[in-house]
Amino acid sequence: MDIPISLPDVPMSLASWGSVDEHFDEIRQFVAATGDADGLTMTAISLLMSRDSAARALGVDLLGELLRLRLIDVSDFLEVTAGSVSDVDEDVRWAAAVSLRHGADVAIADALIKLAQDPDSDVRFQAVVGLPAACTGEDEIGDEVLEALIAAAQDSAPEVREWAIFGIAVQSDVDTPRIRQVLTAALDDWATAEDARAGLKRRGIPI
């Protein structure tokens, strides 16, 4: 990466937002308008070192957009955002979980597995949604990711359980006695029953 002579100014208004969709639309528009991936990367890294949690979250969001556009390597993203996964502020950890979903690489698995155990249910939700993207070279869910999804299927938050079972039932083709047991148990949960039923049918089990 070339070190730019001057870094782009990032308006901190980007850190104050209403809806999630509006926020990420603004992030996308800002990155597109700036057109300086190296400069934005350096600026985002400087935001990660801020004492202000909103600035740190914004730094992660900017890096996540660069990752989505493949303007930063997954390995570089993981290196510079390693501290964000354990940040004291849940908004920063939430931003990390969302951004990691753009990785679609087995390398993101460890970070998402950690975030799937986060104290904050919103963070866990974002991590669980992203976990199936952490695939092996054969595009199948790896054992560690599958274990994390099975654990998340017992989460206290219904939306986390729902996406965990969806990942196991629909986004994975793994078919073992244990998986069938997990899906069968999920039939008794209103949040997961529909996806569990679909998953069992996909595996040739009549319901």
Side-chain angles (χ1 to χ4, degrees):
M1 179 176 68
D2 296 328
I3 304 299
I5 297 175
S6 61
L7 299 180
D9 291 325
V10 177
M12 285 308 296
S13 60
L14 287 174
S16 302
W17 44 283
S19 75
V20 172
D21 288 343
E22 289 175 353
H23 171 65
F24 286 110
D25 280 346
E26 291 177 356
I27 292 289
R28 284 190 285 269
Q29 291 169 15
F30 174 75
V31 170
T34 303
D36 179 5
D38 290 343
L40 279 175
T41 299
M42 297 301 295
T43 298
I45 291 172
S46 70
L47 289 171
L48 295 181
M49 296 183 285
S50 173
R51 293 183 178 181
D52 180 3
S53 61
R56 297 197 302 275
L58 177 57
V60 177
D61 288 339
L62 290 170
L63 290 167
E65 175 61 9
L66 293 172
L67 182 61
R68 186 184 73 85
L69 295 171
R70 301 298 182 260
L71 296 175
I72 183 174
D73 291 336
V74 172
S75 58
D76 291 336
F77 175 87
L78 289 171
E79 180 179 356
V80 298
T81 62
S84 304
V85 175
S86 304
D87 197 279
V88 296
D89 190 276
E90 64 269 16
D91 288 342
V92 179
R93 301 194 306 273
W94 183 90
V98 172
S99 293
L100 283 162
R101 288 164 51 184
H102 298 311
D105 190 292
V106 68
I108 69 175
D110 288 345
L112 282 175
I113 288 170
K114 181 174 183 176
L115 288 166
Q117 303 170 59
D118 194 88
D120 186 271
S121 63
D122 289 335
V123 175
R124 297 197 304 273
F125 171 76
Q126 296 296 339
V128 168
V129 170
L131 272 171
C135 298
T136 66
E138 290 75 34
D139 292 329
E140 182 53 84
I141 290 179
D143 291 343
E144 292 183 354
V145 170
L146 193 59
E147 288 298 323
L149 289 172
I150 291 172
Q154 302 297 318
D155 198 275
S156 60
E159 64 274 14
V160 176
R161 299 197 305 273
E162 178 184 5
W163 276 90
I165 291 297
F166 179 74
I168 296 168
V170 179
Q171 295 178 281
S172 167
D173 292 324
V174 176
D175 186 9
T176 65
R178 186 180 181 206
I179 291 299
R180 294 187 179 200
Q181 183 179 25
V182 168
L183 294 178
T184 300
L187 292 172
D188 295 329
D189 182 349
W190 64 268
T192 61
E194 183 177 352
D195 289 325
R197 189 175 296 109
L200 288 168
K201 287 183 177 179
R202 289 182 69 234
R203 289 160 176 83
I205 302 173
I207 302 298

Short mmCIF file of all heavy atoms in Angstrom, two decimals, residues 134-205:
data_model
loop_
_atom_site.label_atom_id
_atom_site.label_comp_id
_atom_site.label_asym_id
_atom_site.label_seq_id
_atom_site.Cartn_x
_atom_site.Cartn_y
_atom_site.Cartn_z
N ALA A 134 -17.80 -18.05 6.39
CA ALA A 134 -16.44 -18.50 6.72
C ALA A 134 -16.31 -19.96 6.33
O ALA A 134 -16.37 -20.86 7.17
CB ALA A 134 -16.17 -18.29 8.21
N CYS A 135 -16.15 -20.20 5.05
CA CYS A 135 -16.18 -21.57 4.52
C CYS A 135 -14.77 -22.06 4.24
O CYS A 135 -13.81 -21.30 4.19
CB CYS A 135 -16.99 -21.63 3.22
SG CYS A 135 -18.71 -21.17 3.43
N THR A 136 -14.67 -23.35 4.01
CA THR A 136 -13.42 -23.94 3.58
C THR A 136 -13.27 -23.73 2.08
O THR A 136 -14.13 -23.17 1.42
CB THR A 136 -13.41 -25.45 3.88
OG1 THR A 136 -14.41 -26.08 3.07
CG2 THR A 136 -13.69 -25.73 5.33
N GLY A 137 -12.19 -24.23 1.54
CA GLY A 137 -11.96 -24.09 0.10
C GLY A 137 -13.01 -24.80 -0.72
O GLY A 137 -13.20 -24.51 -1.89
N GLU A 138 -13.69 -25.78 -0.12
CA GLU A 138 -14.74 -26.50 -0.83
C GLU A 138 -16.11 -25.85 -0.65
O GLU A 138 -17.14 -26.42 -0.97
CB GLU A 138 -14.81 -27.96 -0.34
CG GLU A 138 -13.62 -28.81 -0.76
CD GLU A 138 -12.38 -28.49 0.06
OE1 GLU A 138 -12.52 -28.15 1.26
OE2 GLU A 138 -11.28 -28.55 -0.50
N ASP A 139 -16.11 -24.65 -0.06
CA ASP A 139 -17.34 -23.90 0.17
C ASP A 139 -18.30 -24.63 1.10
O ASP A 139 -19.51 -24.42 1.03
CB ASP A 139 -18.04 -23.56 -1.16
CG ASP A 139 -17.25 -22.55 -1.98
OD1 ASP A 139 -16.57 -21.72 -1.38
OD2 ASP A 139 -17.33 -22.63 -3.20
N GLU A 140 -17.78 -25.47 1.96
CA GLU A 140 -18.60 -26.12 2.96
C GLU A 140 -18.25 -25.54 4.33
O GLU A 140 -17.12 -25.11 4.56
CB GLU A 140 -18.38 -27.64 2.95
CG GLU A 140 -19.25 -28.40 3.94
CD GLU A 140 -20.72 -28.06 3.80
OE1 GLU A 140 -21.39 -28.65 2.94
OE2 GLU A 140 -21.20 -27.18 4.55
N ILE A 141 -19.24 -25.50 5.19
CA ILE A 141 -19.01 -24.96 6.51
C ILE A 141 -18.03 -25.84 7.27
O ILE A 141 -18.19 -27.06 7.34
CB ILE A 141 -20.35 -24.83 7.27
CG1 ILE A 141 -21.18 -23.71 6.63
CG2 ILE A 141 -20.13 -24.56 8.75
CD1 ILE A 141 -22.53 -23.51 7.26
N GLY A 142 -17.00 -25.23 7.85
CA GLY A 142 -16.00 -25.97 8.59
C GLY A 142 -16.50 -26.42 9.95
O GLY A 142 -17.52 -25.94 10.46
N ASP A 143 -15.76 -27.33 10.56
CA ASP A 143 -16.18 -27.90 11.84
C ASP A 143 -16.32 -26.87 12.93
O ASP A 143 -17.28 -26.89 13.71
CB ASP A 143 -15.19 -28.99 12.27
CG ASP A 143 -15.24 -30.22 11.38
OD1 ASP A 143 -16.23 -30.38 10.65
OD2 ASP A 143 -14.27 -31.02 11.40
N GLU A 144 -15.34 -25.95 13.04
CA GLU A 144 -15.39 -24.95 14.10
C GLU A 144 -16.58 -24.00 13.93
O GLU A 144 -17.22 -23.62 14.90
CB GLU A 144 -14.08 -24.16 14.14
CG GLU A 144 -12.88 -24.99 14.59
CD GLU A 144 -11.62 -24.17 14.70
OE1 GLU A 144 -11.66 -22.98 14.32
OE2 GLU A 144 -10.59 -24.70 15.16
N VAL A 145 -16.84 -23.63 12.68
CA VAL A 145 -17.99 -22.78 12.40
C VAL A 145 -19.28 -23.52 12.72
O VAL A 145 -20.21 -22.96 13.32
CB VAL A 145 -17.98 -22.31 10.93
CG1 VAL A 145 -19.29 -21.62 10.57
CG2 VAL A 145 -16.80 -21.38 10.68
N LEU A 146 -19.35 -24.78 12.34
CA LEU A 146 -20.54 -25.57 12.61
C LEU A 146 -20.78 -25.69 14.12
O LEU A 146 -21.93 -25.57 14.58
CB LEU A 146 -20.39 -26.95 11.98
CG LEU A 146 -21.67 -27.80 11.90
CD1 LEU A 146 -22.74 -27.09 11.09
CD2 LEU A 146 -21.35 -29.15 11.28
N GLU A 147 -19.72 -25.89 14.89
CA GLU A 147 -19.85 -25.97 16.34
C GLU A 147 -20.37 -24.65 16.91
O GLU A 147 -21.19 -24.64 17.83
CB GLU A 147 -18.52 -26.33 16.98
CG GLU A 147 -18.10 -27.77 16.77
CD GLU A 147 -19.07 -28.76 17.39
OE1 GLU A 147 -19.61 -28.47 18.49
OE2 GLU A 147 -19.31 -29.82 16.78
N ALA A 148 -19.89 -23.55 16.36
CA ALA A 148 -20.35 -22.23 16.82
C ALA A 148 -21.83 -22.03 16.51
O ALA A 148 -22.58 -21.46 17.32
CB ALA A 148 -19.51 -21.13 16.17
N LEU A 149 -22.27 -22.50 15.34
CA LEU A 149 -23.69 -22.38 14.98
C LEU A 149 -24.55 -23.27 15.87
O LEU A 149 -25.65 -22.87 16.29
CB LEU A 149 -23.88 -22.75 13.51
CG LEU A 149 -23.35 -21.75 12.48
CD1 LEU A 149 -23.44 -22.34 11.08
CD2 LEU A 149 -24.11 -20.43 12.56
N ILE A 150 -24.07 -24.46 16.18
CA ILE A 150 -24.82 -25.36 17.07
C ILE A 150 -24.97 -24.73 18.45
O ILE A 150 -26.04 -24.78 19.06
CB ILE A 150 -24.12 -26.73 17.15
CG1 ILE A 150 -24.24 -27.46 15.80
CG2 ILE A 150 -24.71 -27.57 18.27
CD1 ILE A 150 -23.42 -28.73 15.72
N ALA A 151 -23.88 -24.11 18.94
CA ALA A 151 -23.96 -23.42 20.23
C ALA A 151 -24.93 -22.25 20.18
O ALA A 151 -25.72 -22.03 21.10
CB ALA A 151 -22.57 -22.95 20.65
N ALA A 152 -24.89 -21.50 19.06
CA ALA A 152 -25.77 -20.34 18.92
C ALA A 152 -27.23 -20.75 18.80
O ALA A 152 -28.13 -19.94 19.09
CB ALA A 152 -25.36 -19.53 17.69
N ALA A 153 -27.49 -21.98 18.41
CA ALA A 153 -28.87 -22.47 18.32
C ALA A 153 -29.53 -22.55 19.69
O ALA A 153 -30.75 -22.71 19.78
CB ALA A 153 -28.90 -23.83 17.63
N GLN A 154 -28.73 -22.44 20.76
CA GLN A 154 -29.25 -22.44 22.12
C GLN A 154 -29.23 -21.04 22.74
O GLN A 154 -29.44 -20.90 23.95
CB GLN A 154 -28.41 -23.39 22.99
CG GLN A 154 -28.36 -24.82 22.49
CD GLN A 154 -29.73 -25.47 22.48
OE1 GLN A 154 -30.50 -25.31 23.42
NE2 GLN A 154 -30.03 -26.20 21.42
N ASP A 155 -28.99 -20.03 21.93
CA ASP A 155 -28.86 -18.66 22.43
C ASP A 155 -30.15 -18.18 23.08
O ASP A 155 -31.25 -18.63 22.74
CB ASP A 155 -28.49 -17.72 21.27
CG ASP A 155 -27.92 -16.40 21.73
OD1 ASP A 155 -28.72 -15.48 22.03
OD2 ASP A 155 -26.69 -16.29 21.81
N SER A 156 -30.02 -17.25 24.01
CA SER A 156 -31.20 -16.69 24.68
C SER A 156 -32.00 -15.77 23.78
O SER A 156 -33.19 -15.54 24.03
CB SER A 156 -30.76 -15.92 25.94
OG SER A 156 -29.88 -14.85 25.59
N ALA A 157 -31.37 -15.24 22.73
CA ALA A 157 -32.06 -14.32 21.82
C ALA A 157 -32.66 -15.10 20.65
O ALA A 157 -31.95 -15.82 19.95
CB ALA A 157 -31.09 -13.27 21.28
N PRO A 158 -33.96 -15.00 20.42
CA PRO A 158 -34.60 -15.79 19.36
C PRO A 158 -34.06 -15.52 17.97
O PRO A 158 -33.95 -16.43 17.15
CB PRO A 158 -36.09 -15.40 19.47
CG PRO A 158 -36.12 -14.14 20.24
CD PRO A 158 -34.95 -14.17 21.15
N GLU A 159 -33.67 -14.26 17.69
CA GLU A 159 -33.16 -13.96 16.35
C GLU A 159 -31.80 -14.62 16.12
O GLU A 159 -31.47 -14.99 14.99
CB GLU A 159 -33.06 -12.44 16.13
CG GLU A 159 -32.07 -11.71 17.03
CD GLU A 159 -32.65 -11.29 18.36
OE1 GLU A 159 -33.74 -11.79 18.72
OE2 GLU A 159 -32.02 -10.45 19.03
N VAL A 160 -31.03 -14.79 17.18
CA VAL A 160 -29.75 -15.50 17.06
C VAL A 160 -30.00 -16.98 16.80
O VAL A 160 -29.37 -17.59 15.92
CB VAL A 160 -28.89 -15.30 18.32
CG1 VAL A 160 -27.60 -16.13 18.22
CG2 VAL A 160 -28.55 -13.82 18.51
N ARG A 161 -30.92 -17.56 17.56
CA ARG A 161 -31.26 -18.98 17.34
C ARG A 161 -31.77 -19.21 15.93
O ARG A 161 -31.42 -20.20 15.27
CB ARG A 161 -32.32 -19.44 18.35
CG ARG A 161 -31.89 -19.34 19.81
CD ARG A 161 -32.80 -20.16 20.70
NE ARG A 161 -34.21 -19.85 20.59
CZ ARG A 161 -34.84 -18.90 21.27
NH1 ARG A 161 -34.16 -18.13 22.12
NH2 ARG A 161 -36.14 -18.71 21.13
N GLU A 162 -32.62 -18.30 15.46
CA GLU A 162 -33.20 -18.45 14.12
C GLU A 162 -32.12 -18.50 13.04
O GLU A 162 -32.13 -19.38 12.17
CB GLU A 162 -34.16 -17.28 13.84
CG GLU A 162 -34.78 -17.31 12.45
CD GLU A 162 -35.65 -16.10 12.18
OE1 GLU A 162 -35.69 -15.18 13.03
OE2 GLU A 162 -36.28 -16.07 11.12
N TRP A 163 -31.16 -17.57 13.11
CA TRP A 163 -30.13 -17.53 12.08
C TRP A 163 -29.12 -18.66 12.23
O TRP A 163 -28.53 -19.11 11.25
CB TRP A 163 -29.46 -16.17 12.06
CG TRP A 163 -30.25 -15.20 11.24
CD1 TRP A 163 -31.26 -14.38 11.68
CD2 TRP A 163 -30.17 -15.00 9.84
NE1 TRP A 163 -31.79 -13.68 10.62
CE2 TRP A 163 -31.13 -14.03 9.49
CE3 TRP A 163 -29.36 -15.53 8.84
CZ2 TRP A 163 -31.31 -13.59 8.18
CZ3 TRP A 163 -29.52 -15.09 7.54
CH2 TRP A 163 -30.49 -14.13 7.22
N ALA A 164 -28.92 -19.12 13.46
CA ALA A 164 -28.03 -20.26 13.66
C ALA A 164 -28.62 -21.51 13.00
O ALA A 164 -27.91 -22.23 12.28
CB ALA A 164 -27.82 -20.50 15.15
N ILE A 165 -29.90 -21.75 13.22
CA ILE A 165 -30.54 -22.91 12.61
C ILE A 165 -30.64 -22.74 11.10
O ILE A 165 -30.45 -23.71 10.34
CB ILE A 165 -31.93 -23.16 13.23
CG1 ILE A 165 -31.79 -23.63 14.67
CG2 ILE A 165 -32.72 -24.16 12.42
CD1 ILE A 165 -31.06 -24.97 14.82
N PHE A 166 -30.88 -21.53 10.64
CA PHE A 166 -30.90 -21.29 9.19
C PHE A 166 -29.54 -21.63 8.57
O PHE A 166 -29.47 -22.25 7.50
CB PHE A 166 -31.25 -19.83 8.90
CG PHE A 166 -31.27 -19.48 7.44
CD1 PHE A 166 -32.30 -19.90 6.63
CD2 PHE A 166 -30.23 -18.73 6.88
CE1 PHE A 166 -32.31 -19.58 5.26
CE2 PHE A 166 -30.24 -18.41 5.53
CZ PHE A 166 -31.28 -18.84 4.72
N GLY A 167 -28.47 -21.24 9.26
CA GLY A 167 -27.13 -21.55 8.76
C GLY A 167 -26.87 -23.04 8.69
O GLY A 167 -26.28 -23.54 7.73
N ILE A 168 -27.33 -23.76 9.72
CA ILE A 168 -27.14 -25.21 9.75
C ILE A 168 -28.05 -25.90 8.74
O ILE A 168 -27.62 -26.79 7.99
CB ILE A 168 -27.43 -25.76 11.16
CG1 ILE A 168 -26.42 -25.19 12.17
CG2 ILE A 168 -27.41 -27.28 11.17
CD1 ILE A 168 -26.81 -25.44 13.62
N ALA A 169 -29.31 -25.49 8.71
CA ALA A 169 -30.33 -26.21 7.95
C ALA A 169 -30.28 -25.94 6.46
O ALA A 169 -30.42 -26.85 5.64
CB ALA A 169 -31.72 -25.86 8.49
N VAL A 170 -30.06 -24.68 6.11
CA VAL A 170 -30.20 -24.26 4.71
C VAL A 170 -28.87 -23.92 4.06
O VAL A 170 -28.66 -24.21 2.88
CB VAL A 170 -31.16 -23.05 4.63
CG1 VAL A 170 -31.31 -22.57 3.18
CG2 VAL A 170 -32.52 -23.41 5.22
N GLN A 171 -27.97 -23.31 4.81
CA GLN A 171 -26.70 -22.87 4.23
C GLN A 171 -25.61 -23.93 4.31
O GLN A 171 -24.50 -23.72 3.84
CB GLN A 171 -26.24 -21.57 4.90
CG GLN A 171 -27.19 -20.40 4.63
CD GLN A 171 -26.76 -19.13 5.33
OE1 GLN A 171 -26.97 -18.96 6.52
NE2 GLN A 171 -26.13 -18.24 4.58
N SER A 172 -25.91 -25.03 4.93
CA SER A 172 -24.97 -26.13 5.04
C SER A 172 -25.60 -27.42 4.52
O SER A 172 -26.80 -27.63 4.68
CB SER A 172 -24.54 -26.33 6.50
OG SER A 172 -23.87 -27.55 6.68
N ASP A 173 -24.77 -28.26 3.93
CA ASP A 173 -25.24 -29.57 3.49
C ASP A 173 -24.77 -30.69 4.41
O ASP A 173 -24.95 -31.86 4.10
CB ASP A 173 -24.74 -29.85 2.07
CG ASP A 173 -25.38 -28.93 1.04
OD1 ASP A 173 -26.58 -28.61 1.21
OD2 ASP A 173 -24.70 -28.52 0.09
N VAL A 174 -24.17 -30.33 5.52
CA VAL A 174 -23.69 -31.34 6.46
C VAL A 174 -24.87 -32.16 6.96
O VAL A 174 -25.89 -31.61 7.41
CB VAL A 174 -22.96 -30.69 7.65
CG1 VAL A 174 -22.54 -31.75 8.66
CG2 VAL A 174 -21.74 -29.93 7.15
N ASP A 175 -24.74 -33.47 6.90
CA ASP A 175 -25.83 -34.36 7.32
C ASP A 175 -25.23 -35.48 8.17
O ASP A 175 -24.69 -36.46 7.66
CB ASP A 175 -26.53 -34.94 6.08
CG ASP A 175 -27.76 -35.76 6.46
OD1 ASP A 175 -28.16 -35.73 7.64
OD2 ASP A 175 -28.31 -36.43 5.57
N THR A 176 -25.33 -35.31 9.47
CA THR A 176 -24.84 -36.31 10.42
C THR A 176 -25.95 -36.56 11.44
O THR A 176 -26.90 -35.76 11.55
CB THR A 176 -23.59 -35.81 11.16
OG1 THR A 176 -23.95 -34.66 11.97
CG2 THR A 176 -22.49 -35.40 10.18
N PRO A 177 -25.85 -37.64 12.20
CA PRO A 177 -26.86 -37.88 13.24
C PRO A 177 -26.98 -36.70 14.21
O PRO A 177 -28.08 -36.37 14.65
CB PRO A 177 -26.34 -39.13 13.94
CG PRO A 177 -25.59 -39.86 12.87
CD PRO A 177 -24.93 -38.79 12.06
N ARG A 178 -25.84 -36.07 14.52
CA ARG A 178 -25.90 -34.93 15.44
C ARG A 178 -26.65 -33.76 14.84
O ARG A 178 -27.45 -33.10 15.51
CB ARG A 178 -24.49 -34.49 15.83
CG ARG A 178 -24.49 -33.41 16.91
CD ARG A 178 -23.10 -33.01 17.28
NE ARG A 178 -23.11 -32.00 18.32
CZ ARG A 178 -22.15 -31.12 18.50
NH1 ARG A 178 -21.08 -31.14 17.71
NH2 ARG A 178 -22.23 -30.23 19.47
N ILE A 179 -26.40 -33.47 13.56
CA ILE A 179 -27.09 -32.36 12.90
C ILE A 179 -28.59 -32.65 12.85
O ILE A 179 -29.42 -31.76 13.10
CB ILE A 179 -26.53 -32.14 11.48
CG1 ILE A 179 -25.11 -31.59 11.56
CG2 ILE A 179 -27.43 -31.20 10.68
CD1 ILE A 179 -24.99 -30.25 12.26
N ARG A 180 -28.95 -33.86 12.55
CA ARG A 180 -30.37 -34.22 12.53
C ARG A 180 -30.99 -34.05 13.92
O ARG A 180 -32.13 -33.61 14.05
CB ARG A 180 -30.54 -35.65 12.04
CG ARG A 180 -30.13 -35.83 10.58
CD ARG A 180 -30.45 -37.22 10.07
NE ARG A 180 -30.09 -37.38 8.66
CZ ARG A 180 -30.58 -38.30 7.87
NH1 ARG A 180 -31.45 -39.20 8.33
NH2 ARG A 180 -30.21 -38.38 6.60
N GLN A 181 -30.22 -34.36 14.95
CA GLN A 181 -30.71 -34.20 16.32
C GLN A 181 -30.92 -32.73 16.64
O GLN A 181 -31.93 -32.35 17.26
CB GLN A 181 -29.71 -34.82 17.29
CG GLN A 181 -30.15 -34.78 18.75
CD GLN A 181 -29.13 -35.43 19.66
OE1 GLN A 181 -27.94 -35.51 19.35
NE2 GLN A 181 -29.58 -35.92 20.80
N VAL A 182 -29.97 -31.90 16.23
CA VAL A 182 -30.09 -30.45 16.47
C VAL A 182 -31.31 -29.89 15.76
O VAL A 182 -32.09 -29.11 16.33
CB VAL A 182 -28.81 -29.73 15.99
CG1 VAL A 182 -29.02 -28.22 15.97
CG2 VAL A 182 -27.64 -30.08 16.89
N LEU A 183 -31.50 -30.28 14.51
CA LEU A 183 -32.64 -29.77 13.74
C LEU A 183 -33.96 -30.29 14.29
O LEU A 183 -34.96 -29.56 14.33
CB LEU A 183 -32.49 -30.16 12.27
CG LEU A 183 -31.31 -29.52 11.52
CD1 LEU A 183 -31.23 -30.04 10.10
CD2 LEU A 183 -31.42 -28.01 11.54
N THR A 184 -33.98 -31.53 14.74
CA THR A 184 -35.20 -32.08 15.32
C THR A 184 -35.57 -31.34 16.60
O THR A 184 -36.75 -31.01 16.83
CB THR A 184 -35.03 -33.58 15.60
OG1 THR A 184 -34.74 -34.26 14.37
CG2 THR A 184 -36.29 -34.16 16.22
N ALA A 185 -34.59 -31.06 17.44
CA ALA A 185 -34.84 -30.31 18.67
C ALA A 185 -35.35 -28.90 18.36
O ALA A 185 -36.18 -28.35 19.08
CB ALA A 185 -33.57 -30.24 19.51
N ALA A 186 -34.86 -28.32 17.24
CA ALA A 186 -35.25 -26.96 16.87
C ALA A 186 -36.69 -26.87 16.40
O ALA A 186 -37.26 -25.78 16.31
CB ALA A 186 -34.31 -26.42 15.79
N LEU A 187 -37.32 -28.01 16.12
CA LEU A 187 -38.73 -28.01 15.74
C LEU A 187 -39.63 -27.52 16.87
O LEU A 187 -40.75 -27.05 16.63
CB LEU A 187 -39.16 -29.42 15.32
CG LEU A 187 -38.56 -29.97 14.02
CD1 LEU A 187 -38.93 -31.44 13.87
CD2 LEU A 187 -39.04 -29.17 12.82
N ASP A 188 -39.16 -27.63 18.10
CA ASP A 188 -39.96 -27.25 19.26
C ASP A 188 -39.80 -25.78 19.63
O ASP A 188 -40.38 -25.33 20.62
CB ASP A 188 -39.57 -28.11 20.47
CG ASP A 188 -39.90 -29.58 20.26
OD1 ASP A 188 -40.89 -29.86 19.55
OD2 ASP A 188 -39.16 -30.43 20.79
N ASP A 189 -39.03 -25.04 18.85
CA ASP A 189 -38.77 -23.62 19.12
C ASP A 189 -39.46 -22.80 18.03
O ASP A 189 -39.17 -22.96 16.84
CB ASP A 189 -37.26 -23.37 19.12
CG ASP A 189 -36.88 -21.93 19.44
OD1 ASP A 189 -37.77 -21.05 19.47
OD2 ASP A 189 -35.68 -21.68 19.65
N TRP A 190 -40.37 -21.91 18.44
CA TRP A 190 -41.11 -21.12 17.45
C TRP A 190 -40.18 -20.30 16.55
O TRP A 190 -40.50 -20.03 15.39
CB TRP A 190 -42.10 -20.19 18.13
CG TRP A 190 -41.45 -19.13 19.00
CD1 TRP A 190 -41.17 -19.22 20.33
CD2 TRP A 190 -40.97 -17.84 18.58
NE1 TRP A 190 -40.54 -18.07 20.78
CE2 TRP A 190 -40.43 -17.21 19.72
CE3 TRP A 190 -40.97 -17.17 17.36
CZ2 TRP A 190 -39.87 -15.93 19.68
CZ3 TRP A 190 -40.41 -15.89 17.30
CH2 TRP A 190 -39.87 -15.28 18.46
N ALA A 191 -39.02 -19.92 17.08
CA ALA A 191 -38.11 -19.08 16.31
C ALA A 191 -37.35 -19.87 15.25
O ALA A 191 -36.84 -19.29 14.28
CB ALA A 191 -37.11 -18.39 17.25
N THR A 192 -37.27 -21.18 15.40
CA THR A 192 -36.43 -21.98 14.51
C THR A 192 -37.16 -23.09 13.79
O THR A 192 -36.58 -23.76 12.93
CB THR A 192 -35.27 -22.62 15.33
OG1 THR A 192 -35.83 -23.47 16.35
CG2 THR A 192 -34.41 -21.55 15.99
N ALA A 193 -38.42 -23.31 14.14
CA ALA A 193 -39.14 -24.48 13.63
C ALA A 193 -39.21 -24.51 12.10
O ALA A 193 -39.01 -25.57 11.49
CB ALA A 193 -40.55 -24.51 14.22
N GLU A 194 -39.50 -23.40 11.48
CA GLU A 194 -39.66 -23.39 10.02
C GLU A 194 -38.37 -23.78 9.31
O GLU A 194 -38.37 -24.61 8.39
CB GLU A 194 -40.13 -22.01 9.55
CG GLU A 194 -40.39 -21.93 8.05
CD GLU A 194 -40.93 -20.57 7.62
OE1 GLU A 194 -41.25 -19.74 8.50
OE2 GLU A 194 -41.01 -20.34 6.40
N ASP A 195 -37.26 -23.17 9.73
CA ASP A 195 -35.98 -23.49 9.10
C ASP A 195 -35.54 -24.92 9.42
O ASP A 195 -34.96 -25.60 8.57
CB ASP A 195 -34.90 -22.50 9.55
CG ASP A 195 -35.11 -21.11 8.97
OD1 ASP A 195 -35.58 -21.02 7.82
OD2 ASP A 195 -34.82 -20.13 9.65
N ALA A 196 -35.82 -25.36 10.65
CA ALA A 196 -35.47 -26.74 11.02
C ALA A 196 -36.23 -27.74 10.16
O ALA A 196 -35.66 -28.73 9.68
CB ALA A 196 -35.78 -26.98 12.50
N ARG A 197 -37.50 -27.47 9.91
CA ARG A 197 -38.32 -28.35 9.08
C ARG A 197 -37.75 -28.40 7.65
O ARG A 197 -37.64 -29.48 7.05
CB ARG A 197 -39.76 -27.86 9.08
CG ARG A 197 -40.75 -28.81 8.42
CD ARG A 197 -42.18 -28.29 8.58
NE ARG A 197 -42.57 -28.25 9.99
CZ ARG A 197 -42.74 -27.13 10.69
NH1 ARG A 197 -42.57 -25.95 10.10
NH2 ARG A 197 -43.10 -27.18 11.96
N ALA A 198 -37.37 -27.22 7.15
CA ALA A 198 -36.80 -27.17 5.79
C ALA A 198 -35.48 -27.94 5.73
O ALA A 198 -35.20 -28.64 4.75
CB ALA A 198 -36.58 -25.71 5.38
N GLY A 199 -34.68 -27.81 6.78
CA GLY A 199 -33.41 -28.51 6.81
C GLY A 199 -33.55 -30.01 6.86
O GLY A 199 -32.80 -30.76 6.21
N LEU A 200 -34.52 -30.48 7.62
CA LEU A 200 -34.75 -31.93 7.71
C LEU A 200 -35.26 -32.47 6.37
O LEU A 200 -34.86 -33.56 5.93
CB LEU A 200 -35.72 -32.23 8.83
CG LEU A 200 -35.15 -32.04 10.25
CD1 LEU A 200 -36.26 -32.08 11.28
CD2 LEU A 200 -34.11 -33.10 10.55
N LYS A 201 -36.15 -31.73 5.73
CA LYS A 201 -36.65 -32.15 4.42
C LYS A 201 -35.53 -32.22 3.40
O LYS A 201 -35.48 -33.13 2.57
CB LYS A 201 -37.75 -31.21 3.96
CG LYS A 201 -39.07 -31.38 4.72
CD LYS A 201 -40.14 -30.45 4.15
CE LYS A 201 -41.48 -30.67 4.87
NZ LYS A 201 -42.53 -29.77 4.35
N ARG A 202 -34.60 -31.25 3.46
CA ARG A 202 -33.47 -31.25 2.54
C ARG A 202 -32.60 -32.49 2.73
O ARG A 202 -31.90 -32.93 1.82
CB ARG A 202 -32.61 -30.00 2.74
CG ARG A 202 -33.22 -28.71 2.26
CD ARG A 202 -32.27 -27.54 2.46
NE ARG A 202 -31.12 -27.64 1.57
CZ ARG A 202 -29.86 -27.61 1.95
NH1 ARG A 202 -29.56 -27.55 3.25
NH2 ARG A 202 -28.88 -27.68 1.08
N ARG A 203 -32.64 -33.03 3.94
CA ARG A 203 -31.84 -34.21 4.26
C ARG A 203 -32.64 -35.50 4.14
O ARG A 203 -32.22 -36.54 4.61
CB ARG A 203 -31.25 -34.03 5.65
CG ARG A 203 -30.15 -32.96 5.69
CD ARG A 203 -29.89 -32.42 7.08
NE ARG A 203 -28.76 -31.48 7.07
CZ ARG A 203 -28.87 -30.20 6.74
NH1 ARG A 203 -30.06 -29.70 6.37
NH2 ARG A 203 -27.81 -29.41 6.75
N GLY A 204 -33.82 -35.40 3.53
CA GLY A 204 -34.61 -36.58 3.23
C GLY A 204 -35.37 -37.15 4.40
O GLY A 204 -35.73 -38.34 4.39
N ILE A 205 -35.62 -36.33 5.41
CA ILE A 205 -36.34 -36.80 6.61
C ILE A 205 -37.75 -36.27 6.53
O ILE A 205 -37.99 -35.06 6.58
CB ILE A 205 -35.66 -36.31 7.89
CG1 ILE A 205 -34.21 -36.80 7.92
CG2 ILE A 205 -36.42 -36.80 9.11
CD1 ILE A 205 -33.41 -36.24 9.07
#
